[in-house]
């Protein structure tokens, strides 16, 4: 029975890796969209939605069939949450593409925040894959910086309403960063059993 649970957990890990790769790909596509190169974040998000459904189905089966405990239970619970975070990252990337296509205007802060947001997503994925708590501190730092960019973009709207595109894109980047931070928090939960 233990072997079947382990096989199921490995399958969950594989699906989460696929979702992680997709969310990074969607974010890269969104970054290109602010330069006028519109790509495929919507297709990626649709694919991740399907994988997320598969994660939920497998996780439910593992919970019901094997009654896992301790770190196995925490991992399965966290895989459900992380699948949601990764899917939401892809949805925000899709919204950035849509915003860049429709709303024109300068996006200086977004250009600065994109590499940091991409780093946060990659770090969160690495932290979850390796269950490496040491990366969580950097995630918190990146989240603070991106939050600051977002607030600055809102303040810039007071001076120049043409900066609406930047504020809209920054809002999505701020939410992506928050989801990345949540993925990092799951690492602490899995390893230590405590929530951040």
């Amino acid at each position: 029975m233990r072997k079947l649970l382990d096989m199921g957990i490995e399958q969950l890990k594989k699906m989460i890796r696929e979702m992680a790769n997709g969310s990074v790909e969607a974010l890269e596509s969104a970054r290109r969209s602010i330069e006028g190169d519109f790509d495929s974040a919507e297709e990626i998000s649709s694919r991740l939605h399907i994988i997320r459904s598969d994660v939920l189905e497998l996780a439910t089966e593992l919970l019901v069939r094997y009654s896992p405990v301790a770190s196995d239970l925490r991992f399965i619970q966290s895989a459900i949450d992380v699948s949601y975070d990764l899917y939401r990252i892809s949805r925000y990337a899709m919204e950035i593409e849509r915003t860049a296509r429709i709303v024109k205007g300068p996006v200086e802060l977004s250009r600065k925040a994109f590499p940091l947001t991409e780093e946060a997503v990659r770090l969160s994925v690495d932290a979850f894959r390796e269950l490496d708590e040491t990366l969580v501190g950097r995630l918190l730092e990146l989240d603070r910086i991106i939050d600051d960019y977002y607030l600055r973009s809102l303040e810039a709207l007071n001076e120049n309403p043409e900066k609406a595109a930047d504020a809209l894109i920054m809002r999505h980047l701020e939410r992506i960063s928050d989801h990345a931070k949540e993925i990092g928090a799951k690492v602490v939960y899995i390893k230590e059993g405590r929530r951040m």
Side-chain angles (χ1 to χ4, degrees), residues 126-145:
D126 290 346
F128 190 78
R129 183 178 45 246
E130 304 298 325
L131 295 179
D132 184 351
E133 294 173 272
T134 64
L135 300 177
V136 176
R138 176 69 177 147
L139 278 171
L140 296 174
E141 177 185 336
L142 287 169
D143 185 59
R144 280 191 297 276
I145 295 168

Side-chain angles (χ1 to χ4, degrees), residues 113-187:
F114 249 107
L116 298 173
T117 306
E118 289 172 317
E119 181 184 352
V121 170
R122 284 188 178 94
L123 270 175
S124 71
V125 165
D126 290 346
F128 190 78
R129 183 178 45 246
E130 304 298 325
L131 295 179
D132 184 351
E133 294 173 272
T134 64
L135 300 177
V136 176
R138 176 69 177 147
L139 278 171
L140 296 174
E141 177 185 336
L142 287 169
D143 185 59
R144 280 191 297 276
I145 295 168
I146 294 164
D147 284 348
D148 181 61
Y149 277 131
Y150 173 55
L151 293 175
R152 288 172 47 197
S153 74
L154 291 178
E155 291 166 354
L157 279 176
N158 289 324
E159 300 165 19
N160 184 354
E162 291 180 8
K163 294 197 175 193
D166 209 15
L168 289 169
I169 291 170
M170 277 308 310
R171 173 65 180 144
H172 296 310
L173 292 174
E174 186 272 336
R175 292 302 305 137
I176 289 169
S177 175
D178 284 348
H179 283 288
K181 181 177 70 173
E182 286 302 311
I183 293 170
K186 298 301 178 267
V187 174

